[in-house]
Amino acid sequence: MNTMTLWHISLWEFAALAAAALLVGFSKTAVSGANTVSLAIFAAVLPARASTGVLLPILIVGDVLAVLTYRRHAHWPTLWKLFPAVAAGVIVGTVFLMWADDQIVRTSIGAILLLMAGVTIWRRRKTEAEEEPDSVATRTGRIKARSYGVLGGFTTMVANAGGPVMSMYLLSAGFRKLGFLGTSAFFFLIVNVSKVPFSVGLGLIDGNSLLLDAALAAFVVPGAFIGKWAVNRINQRLFEQLVIAATVVGGAQLLLR
């Protein structure tokens, strides 16, 4: 990673990264998957490949805050069924990053963002139509968990964009708000921490990137508190519509760069 690039950012670019970090905190305690907007901002300000390594520690800070907030509401049987498939997806994503250059990663992130926007729209319509969500104990539920697990592992390794995939899965499995947030918090904390050695090995995380993370991490905390305050007050439907729109704009911008 060309770490020197990380320090040639303007005040406005740092402000954009700080706002993205704030949104990470908010998404972790209020609307899981909203940090796809943060991903688009990081990839627009920083080199696309390097942005995934800089964003990862910021996400982990948000995950820790989410676990502290919703730790009593996690559903561990669901988590245990997801982890093997997610591990396979992370390995595939690591192999992809070993040969992909910055342009390929940027294009991939843009395509993934647009895919995730489409997935989110489909998730909303499907959730409204379903009367009996699939349980992880059924054969259909197990197949669904493995499929989403592999896709979630790949997208989270390549672009830190596993949020919408897991959001779709957890909602389709019938999770209520607190169970959704608690299960999602532990899931992403464990998965994101497990990605650190891979990112270090790929040169995506180093001393300079961690210094930038240290400056940005302070903005995650107020975002998490805002999310905790807003979770029972937020208009979910309107916010998801705004997230989808921002994700489409961010994905299109990366594809056209």
Side-chain angles (χ1 to χ4, degrees):
M1 176 172 65
N2 183 8
T3 53
M4 289 300 294
T5 306
L6 301 179
W7 304 108
H8 289 85
I9 58 177
S10 68
L11 180 62
W12 289 109
E13 288 173 330
F14 181 82
L17 294 178
L22 186 86
L23 182 56
V24 167
F26 179 82
S27 71
K28 293 295 184 179
T29 56
V31 183
S32 181
N35 56 19
T36 51
V37 179
S38 302
L39 167 63
I41 294 173
F42 268 73
V45 173
L46 302 173
R49 196 170 186 272
S51 71
T52 62
V54 175
L55 182 56
L56 181 56
I58 300 298
L59 294 174
I60 292 174
V61 173
D63 293 327
V64 170
L65 295 172
V67 165
L68 292 175
T69 304
Y70 301 115
R71 59 188 179 278
R72 297 180 181 178
H73 302 284
H75 188 255
W76 284 98
T78 296
L79 291 171
W80 290 123
K81 290 182 183 298
L82 284 169
F83 285 141
V86 172
V90 168
I91 292 172
V92 173
T94 301
V95 173
F96 174 78
L97 286 173
M98 289 176 66
W99 64 267
D101 60 20
D102 195 68
Q103 179 59 46
I104 293 174
V105 172
R106 181 185 298 112
T107 302
S108 299
I109 293 175
I112 287 172
L113 285 175
L114 294 178
L115 173 64
M116 292 301 97
V119 162
T120 302
I121 294 172
W122 177 79
R123 182 202 75 198
R124 287 169 47 144
R125 293 178 177 176
K126 188 171 186 293
T127 302
E128 291 173 356
E130 285 184 344
E131 295 182 358
E132 293 292 336
D134 293 321
S135 167
V136 293
T138 66
R139 183 173 183 273
T140 301
R142 288 193 295 269
I143 293 174
K144 180 184 289 188
R146 291 165 186 163
S147 300
Y148 287 143
V150 172
L151 180 59
F154 178 81
T155 55
T156 195
M157 186 65 215
V158 172
N160 293 311
V165 178
M166 290 299 104
S167 294
M168 181 180 71
Y169 171 69
L170 293 175
L171 286 181
S172 68
F175 279 84
R176 299 295 183 182
K177 184 185 295 184
L178 291 179
F180 175 100
L181 291 169
T183 304
S184 178
F186 273 101
F187 174 84
F188 281 108
L189 176 61
I190 294 171
V191 170
N192 284 333
V193 169
S194 72
K195 287 160 49 182
V196 170
F198 296 96
S199 295
V200 172
L202 291 168
L204 301 176
I205 295 177
D206 61 13
N208 285 338
S209 70
L210 288 175
L211 285 175
L212 180 58
D213 286 322
L216 294 172
F219 296 94
V220 181
V221 178
F225 279 108
I226 294 171
K228 183 179 179 181
W229 173 84
V231 69
N232 292 321
R233 299 173 176 85
I234 191 171
N235 183 324
Q236 185 81 7
R237 179 176 294 273
L238 174 60
F239 188 81
E240 286 196 3
Q241 290 171 345
L242 293 174
V243 169
I244 291 170
T247 301
V248 170
V249 171
Q253 187 267 342
L254 288 170
L255 287 175
L256 295 174
R257 282 183 67 184

